[in-house]
Amino acid sequence: MVLLSLLLFLTQSVVKVPPSQWTAISLRILQNSATVQLSFNVQNGGSNLQAMILTGDEAERFHRGRSVRPIFSSGFKGSGEYRIVIPDAGDYVLLLDNRLEGRFPTEVALKFDVTYPADLSVRTVPPERRRATVALSLLFFGAVVVFSAVKFLRN
């Protein structure tokens, strides 16, 4: 029960971002091609905030003040809802940047959910069904050709 409430807290909560600073939240993606549903809404403090998803290395570059190549960046906005596909499993960082509106601490209602693709198994159609599909397709095509020819020759 404690784990479930902790998970709920991490996926839907209010986060405080100090003035002229940023807050980083660790994300662990367990499978390739995971989808992150992210929404945020600035409730108190500054009016705009930037949300970014970075790899661990890019987050370290950001911390050092260097340019970064985020997987996702919302731009500075007061709210937003996004759907981001993370291509590779690994450790990522959700970064909430309050450096543009840096006079006040900002409270952000944050919600994110990670979903993974379902296991898909490739199956082939049995030979009898393939033959029936081809035969019915040819029969339908032949009927369309005969119908068109009759209509064309009458005119």
Side-chain angles (χ1 to χ4, degrees):
M1 184 66 170
V2 173
L3 182 61
L4 182 61
S5 63
L6 180 63
L7 183 62
L8 182 63
F9 173 73
L10 292 176
T11 61
Q12 185 172 357
S13 62
V14 175
V15 177
K16 276 192 173 183
V17 183
S20 299
Q21 295 183 20
W22 45 269
T23 297
I25 300 169
S26 179
L27 295 176
R28 176 160 286 181
I29 304 298
L30 302 175
Q31 293 180 13
N32 294 341
S33 300
T35 302
V36 174
Q37 300 275 9
L38 170 68
S39 65
F40 68 90
N41 186 18
V42 174
Q43 293 183 331
N44 292 321
S47 60
N48 292 322
L49 183 88
Q50 181 176 21
M52 292 189 287
I53 296 180
L54 305 165
T55 62
D57 293 338
E58 291 296 318
E60 187 63 35
R61 287 179 57 84
F62 183 87
H63 180 66
R64 291 183 181 153
R66 298 184 180 215
S67 63
V68 294
R69 293 181 309 251
I71 292 174
F72 164 77
S73 177
S74 69
F76 285 91
K77 297 183 177 187
S79 64
E81 289 187 31
Y82 305 97
R83 184 176 183 195
I84 307 109
V85 175
I86 307 291
D88 300 318
D91 292 327
Y92 293 86
V93 174
L94 171 62
L95 196 109
L96 302 173
D97 187 359
N98 187 26
R99 294 178 301 161
L100 185 66
E101 297 279 335
R103 294 174 287 169
F104 306 106
T106 302
E107 289 184 6
V108 182
L110 178 67
K111 181 179 180 184
F112 65 87
D113 185 30
V114 180
T115 56
Y116 298 101
D119 281 341
L120 299 176
S121 58
V122 178
R123 293 182 286 165
T124 60
V125 178
E128 302 82 29
R129 191 167 179 186
R130 278 186 281 177
R131 282 192 285 273
T133 302
V134 170
L136 288 172
S137 297
L138 288 173
L139 183 63
F140 179 74
F141 177 71
V144 169
V145 168
V146 168
F147 177 77
S148 298
V150 168
K151 286 288 192 180
F152 180 73
L153 291 175
R154 283 192 182 166
N155 292 334

